[in-house]
Amino acid sequence: LQTRMQSLQPDPKAQYRSVYEALKKIVLTEGFWRPLRGINVTMLGAGPAHAMYFACYEKMKKSLSDTFQHGGNSHLANGIAGSVATLLHDAVMNPAEVVKQRMQMFNSPYKSVLACIRTVQRTEGFGAFYRSYTTQLTMNVPFQAIHFITYEFMQEQINPHREYNPRSHIVSGAAWPVPAAATTPLDVCKTLLNTQENMALSSVNISGHLSGMVNAFKTVYQLGGIAGYFRGVQARVIYQMPSTAIAWSVYEFFKYFLTKHRLEKRTSL
């Protein structure tokens, strides 16, 4: 839904006024499973991406916290660790995001993930999968830094003993709609770079492929003015809050489960 609503020059049949209207219209006209197109490539990339993401974050957070604030919780360390973890995460997820968004566009010509990868590789080259990488990092590095700082701060307030507490992890993980809304302009630019929306680019006489964050910003403004930067903001916030809450809950559960299992193994020896 977010990809569709961020389209700058959509087909008249793919114009939506709200998230609910978009979901209803897509399901009725394109089928029940249409909103889930591209989910397989997202799942394929999400496993290794999140494994590196959280492993890097935990390792760096502990090392930097000992350096900045020995024995304590340093928000600066959390922010830096989150930023570095984002570099690794996005390196894996960016190509998956390109494929997913191209498959989710209205009247997408791609029948499968493999067909999309092959066509993009053949017609645009390998660089097409990383055309939005700098924009993604410009958005995600400060976004994720704030995210990790906010999460750890919330945990200090509602779960000071840092015990496994699913409710506290859900609340802390979901408590950041403002950063999600504030970074929407960069997300709109990223979507344009990923999808290379033909109708939008031809309407401003851009031939070939759009590249670069600055060019994307200019093009979005040409097509939609200031309002264009906030297309899909509602869908972005609605998506980000539960997704981060679920990600942190699952991560904290496995962290608790593995730590508990390791301690039980040590005591039994």
Side-chain angles (χ1 to χ4, degrees), residues 38-230:
I39 195 171
N40 48 350
V41 72
T42 303
M43 290 172 67
L44 194 66
H50 278 78
M52 290 191 293
Y53 182 62
F54 284 114
C56 176
Y57 173 68
E58 279 294 329
K59 182 69 177 174
M60 286 202 70
K61 181 181 78 167
K62 287 178 182 176
S63 301
L64 292 173
S65 286
D66 285 339
T67 303
F68 297 143
Q69 191 176 325
H70 188 68
N73 178 37
S74 167
H75 292 307
L76 178 60
N78 298 336
I80 294 171
S83 298
V84 175
T86 300
L87 296 175
L88 294 174
H89 174 273
D90 287 359
V92 175
M93 284 305 295
N94 209 89
E97 191 77 4
V98 171
V99 175
K100 182 197 79 171
Q101 290 192 314
R102 292 204 181 206
M103 292 188 71
Q104 288 176 343
M105 292 300 287
F106 183 72
N107 277 341
S108 172
Y110 309 108
K111 302 300 179 187
S112 68
V113 168
L114 207 56
C116 182
I117 293 170
R118 284 173 176 166
T119 304
V120 173
Q121 169 69 33
R122 188 178 67 252
T123 58
E124 300 176 45
F126 180 75
F129 295 107
Y130 283 94
R131 203 175 272 136
S132 67
Y133 188 52
T134 52
T135 305
Q136 178 100 327
L137 291 179
T138 304
M139 172 178 68
N140 277 351
V141 167
F143 182 57
Q144 296 297 353
I146 294 168
H147 169 201
F148 281 106
I149 291 169
T150 303
Y151 180 81
E152 297 290 354
F153 174 77
M154 289 291 292
Q155 283 291 287
E156 282 183 344
Q157 305 307 308
I158 62 178
N159 187 18
H161 299 297
R162 301 310 296 264
E163 298 169 341
Y164 175 63
N165 184 327
R167 186 180 298 174
S168 79
H169 303 318
I170 290 170
V171 172
S172 298
W176 57 316
V178 174
T183 52
T184 300
L186 285 160
D187 199 49
V188 172
C189 293
K190 181 200 78 172
T191 298
L192 181 60
L193 288 167
N194 280 348
T195 59
Q196 298 293 310
E197 210 180 320
N198 289 330
M199 286 179 69
L201 298 183
S202 60
S203 69
V204 288
N205 299 317
I206 294 177
S207 57
H209 304 297
L210 182 71
S211 62
M213 186 172 65
V214 174
N215 290 334
F217 259 94
K218 288 178 181 176
T219 306
V220 170
Y221 185 77
Q222 282 179 278
L223 291 163
I226 297 298
Y229 292 118
F230 291 92

